[in-house]
């Protein structure tokens, strides 16, 4: 299947589409699913696609999910399959996720009579910030038939190809954001006493807000705040009227999430008051914490180990990135795992969202095999046992 998978992945890679605009990718996906003879629902969450293979015998319904969107960035033409579209690039591997899920579909389309229960393929739009996963859930991707368990994977440049990384429970963080607008009173830099300097207030806010995780959160819990954008001022001698700070807040539990939010509110209120300036704080919740079901994570580890050996299935620690797979896991048990793509000999060492990001394409058939093993194990199909006979 490898050549077929590579062709699909490269086709998607060369024609990247941003969140909720995955029209061609979505068409490619639905055409294959239809060719495989599955039931196909299109247009969920705008460009999402759901495929369903109903088994001949009753059983549970398992879903697997891929994301289809790219990132708004240019890809340098280093490889023959580089993006053909300016300002758009698959720099997170979602092209690989889509190809892998289609590979799993192709595999099961060749043995539909062996399927007990149902297998559902969920291809979603807009993982990169658009929350496509949330929309898919809202529009019923987990219903009809009701999904009993869900599995998803993300390629992982920190692990070599051929390895699977498994989280026990928490995998990725809740990712919220805030904007603070400090509203002072501008004037001449030589006469600060006649102004309310928002830049100095912003300076205090930057140090105090960054102190919250170290002083207010239990050191054995995890939380991080980063102020990543500061805007204000126009010249060396003008105190501006306003300064704006924009930051991200990450946490691994709902409790820390609320603690961080309420401390930010308190600090902004207190610092602004002490300097006599006004402020506006906008706080927006983003993706929730991604929490795996430990039993489902064990199933992933065990099913994959059976094929590639225990030594190639490694536990991975939670990270403060975010994933909208968390919305599915809020509704049904499941597990989100990692597929290694690092290959130093081929120069595949670059992080997500880098213009140099690429995957080791050996992950494509490998990923298909891992999903097949997981589905086989979850539905109790006995494909593994047959292979060994
Ligand atoms: Zn990404
Ligand atoms: Zn991604």
């Amino acid at each position: 299947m490898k050549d077929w998978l590579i062709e699909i992945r490269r086709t998607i890679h060369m024609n990247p589409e941003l969140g909720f605009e995955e029209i061609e990718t979505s068409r490619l996906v639905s055409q294959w699913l239809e060719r495989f003879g599955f039931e196909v629902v299109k247009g969920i969450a705008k460009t999402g696609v759901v495929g369903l293979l109903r088994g001949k015998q009753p059983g549970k319904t398992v879903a697997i999910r891929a994301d289809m969107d790219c990132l708004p960035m240019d890809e340098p033409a280093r490889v023959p399959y580089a993006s053909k579209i300016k300002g758009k690039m698959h720099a997170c591997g979602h092209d690989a996720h889509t190809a892998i899920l289609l590979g799993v579909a192709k595999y099961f389309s060749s043995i539909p009579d062996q399927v007990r229960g149902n297998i559902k393929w969920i291809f979603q739009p807009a993982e990169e910030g658009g929350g496509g996963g949330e929309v898919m859930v809202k529009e019923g991707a987990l219903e009809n038939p009701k999904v009993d368990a869900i599995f998803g994977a993300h390629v992982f440049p920190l692990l070599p190809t051929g390895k699977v990384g498994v989280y026990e429970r928490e995998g990725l963080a809740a990712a919220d954001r805030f904007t603070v607008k400090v509203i002072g009173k501008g004037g001449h830099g030589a006469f600060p006493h006649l102004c309310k300097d928002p830049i100095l207030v912003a300076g205090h806010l930057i140090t105090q807000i960054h102190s919250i995780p170290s002083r207010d959160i239990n050191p054995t819990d995890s939380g991080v705040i980063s102020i990543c954008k500061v805007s204000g001022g126009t010249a060396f001698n003008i105190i501006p009227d306003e300064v704006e700070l924009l930051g991200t807040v990450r946490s691994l539990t709902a409790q820390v999430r609320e603690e961080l939010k309420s401390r930010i509110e308190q600090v902004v209120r207190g610092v602004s008051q002490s300097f006599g300036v006004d402020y506006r704080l906008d706080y927006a919740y983003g993706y929730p914490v991604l929490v795996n079901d430990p039993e489902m994570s064990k199933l992933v580890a065990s099913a994959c180990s059976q094929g590639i050996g225990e030594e190639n299935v490694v536990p991975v620690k939670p990270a403060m990135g975010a994933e909208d797979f968390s919305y599915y896991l809020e509704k049904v048990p499941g597990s989100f795992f990692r597929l290694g793509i690092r290959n130093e000999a081929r120069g595949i060492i670059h992080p997500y969202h880098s213009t140099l990001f690429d995957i080791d394409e050996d992950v494509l058939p490998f990923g298909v095999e891992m999903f097949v093993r997981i589905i086989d194990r979850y539905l109790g199909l006995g494909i593994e046992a047959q292979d060994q006979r």
Side-chain angles (χ1 to χ4, degrees):
M1 208 190 274
K2 188 173 171 185
D3 291 343
W4 181 82
L5 288 165
I6 289 178
E7 199 191 317
I8 289 186
R9 181 259 164 167
R10 292 187 178 187
T11 300
I12 300 172
H13 193 87
M14 286 189 280
N15 301 282
E17 296 174 299
L18 292 168
F20 295 119
E21 297 173 4
E22 304 90 337
I23 297 180
E24 293 306 321
T25 311
S26 166
R27 184 172 301 147
L28 180 148
V29 165
S30 60
Q31 280 174 352
W32 276 112
L33 295 176
E34 279 160 2
R35 222 169 296 173
F36 295 146
F38 297 171
E39 291 173 29
V40 181
V41 184
K42 298 175 241 183
I44 308 184
K46 283 191 183 159
T47 49
V49 181
V50 174
L52 180 69
L53 170 57
R54 281 186 205 272
K56 294 269 150 59
Q57 305 159 58
K60 290 182 282 193
T61 297
V62 63
I64 56 175
R65 166 274 204 174
D67 37 16
M68 303 186 288
D69 57 322
C70 74
L71 288 155
M73 56 194 279
D74 283 323
E75 178 171 13
R78 285 185 323 129
V79 288
Y81 49 88
S83 171
K84 292 196 290 193
I85 301 173
K86 210 178 145 36
K88 296 180 190 177
M89 175 184 177
H90 270 291
C92 203
H94 299 184
D95 49 343
H97 304 161
T98 302
I100 288 171
L101 251 66
L102 283 176
V104 180
K106 188 178 167 76
Y107 178 86
F108 281 104
S109 73
S110 68
I111 52 161
D113 295 341
Q114 289 190 46
V115 175
R116 186 185 317 130
N118 308 303
I119 308 174
K120 197 182 256 195
W121 280 261
I122 298 177
F123 294 87
Q124 72 158 75
E127 193 286 321
E128 297 284 0
E134 182 181 24
V135 189
M136 292 295 286
V137 171
K138 275 193 184 140
E139 297 191 11
L142 295 174
E143 306 299 325
N144 301 319
K146 197 170 160 24
V147 170
D148 296 301
I150 187 163
F151 298 94
H154 202 296
V155 295
F156 196 47
L158 298 179
L159 274 180
T161 318
K163 292 201 187 279
V164 168
V166 182
Y167 300 103
E168 191 190 348
R169 266 183 64 80
E170 286 83 11
L172 292 153
D176 305 327
R177 75 173 68 183
F178 65 93
T179 309
V180 189
K181 187 183 267 185
V182 181
I183 306 162
K185 193 171 112 205
H188 199 295
F191 306 96
H193 58 295
L194 303 179
C195 309
K196 296 279 183 202
D197 181 5
I199 292 203
L200 180 59
V201 178
H204 281 261
L205 284 175
I206 290 167
T207 53
Q208 291 210 23
I209 288 174
H210 282 133
S211 306
I212 293 171
S214 83
R215 298 295 94 180
D216 294 308
I217 300 303
N218 184 332
T220 59
D221 287 337
S222 299
V224 64
I225 304 174
S226 292
I227 293 176
C228 298
K229 189 177 177 198
V230 180
S231 347
T234 54
F236 82 100
N237 58 354
I238 303 170
I239 292 175
D241 286 322
E242 294 177 356
V243 172
E244 198 170 80
L245 308 177
L246 177 60
T248 184
V249 184
R250 310 284 171 125
S251 52
L252 287 178
T253 65
Q255 191 196 334
V256 171
R257 192 181 198 187
E258 289 312 312
E259 281 172 2
L260 292 173
K261 175 173 182 276
S262 81
R263 279 295 289 146
I264 289 171
E265 287 166 352
Q266 210 176 2
V267 164
V268 172
R269 195 184 324 123
V271 169
S272 301
Q273 205 171 33
S274 73
F275 283 96
V277 296
D278 278 335
Y279 69 91
R280 212 181 80 204
L281 172 63
D282 291 315
Y283 201 96
Y285 288 112
Y287 297 170
V289 189
L290 182 145
V291 186
N292 295 296
D293 181 305
E295 287 306 311
M296 294 296 129
S297 291
K298 268 188 213 150
L299 184 148
V300 168
S302 157
C304 294
S305 294
Q306 201 159 358
I308 57 176
E310 263 174 37
E311 67 280 10
N312 290 313
V313 178
V314 296
V316 279
K317 280 204 239 172
M320 302 311 271
E323 236 298 334
D324 74 354
F325 194 70
S326 52
Y327 289 104
Y328 303 95
L329 290 176
E330 282 186 333
K331 300 287 179 201
V332 292
S335 188
F336 184 74
F337 60 99
R338 296 287 185 175
L339 293 166
I341 50 164
R342 192 179 187 84
N343 186 328
E344 305 204 354
R346 293 184 195 166
I348 295 166
I349 51 169
H350 300 286
Y352 301 126
H353 298 201
S354 154
T355 55
L356 299 174
F357 179 85
D358 200 358
I359 61 155
D360 178 354
E361 287 174 327
D362 285 351
V363 77
L364 301 170
F366 178 82
V368 172
E369 183 188 334
M370 294 308 107
F371 273 109
V372 168
R373 287 182 180 281
I374 291 164
I375 292 170
D376 176 34
R377 178 68 66 85
Y378 184 78
L379 294 179
L381 306 181
I383 297 171
E384 167 82 34
Q386 268 176 24
D387 276 358
Q388 285 175 347
R389 267 207 302 274

